[in-house]
Amino acid sequence: MTQSAHLAMLVELLAEVGHPVEGHGEPGSVTLLDLGLDSLTLLELLMLIDERTGVEIRVEDVPIETTLAEVAALIDRQQAA
């Protein structure tokens, strides 16, 4: 998957967990904080990312101020490793 594909996947997963990106601006520049994610929802999102991509990301590695583009880049880097 490319970074842009990961970003599209994140938008889809965020809608699944009840935090749609629509109306918050350009998806790549939206932060998890902008979307109102709490720690439990972040954990749920990370579990869905793992299920979908096989990439395991620790909660500690994703501060709430992280943009969706940064999360997509993190997924991309970990898949390439």
Side-chain angles (χ1 to χ4, degrees):
M1 266 187 162
T2 65
Q3 187 171 334
S4 61
H6 288 133
L7 183 58
M9 177 196 65
L10 286 171
V11 170
E12 181 183 316
L13 293 177
L14 284 159
E16 280 184 37
V17 297
H19 291 272
V21 176
E22 293 80 27
H24 290 279
E26 180 64 36
S29 61
V30 172
T31 68
L32 300 174
L33 181 63
D34 293 338
L35 297 173
L37 265 71
D38 58 20
S39 58
L40 184 57
T41 308
L42 176 58
L43 182 58
E44 183 179 4
L45 176 64
L46 296 179
M47 289 172 58
L48 288 170
I49 291 169
D50 185 15
E51 287 175 14
R52 186 76 59 93
T53 65
V55 171
E56 187 174 324
I57 300 172
R58 301 177 318 164
V59 173
E60 306 83 53
D61 294 336
V62 186
I64 203 72
E65 301 85 11
T66 304
T67 67
L68 297 187
E70 291 169 332
V71 177
L74 179 59
I75 295 168
D76 198 48
R77 282 193 307 274
Q78 290 202 13
Q79 273 192 327

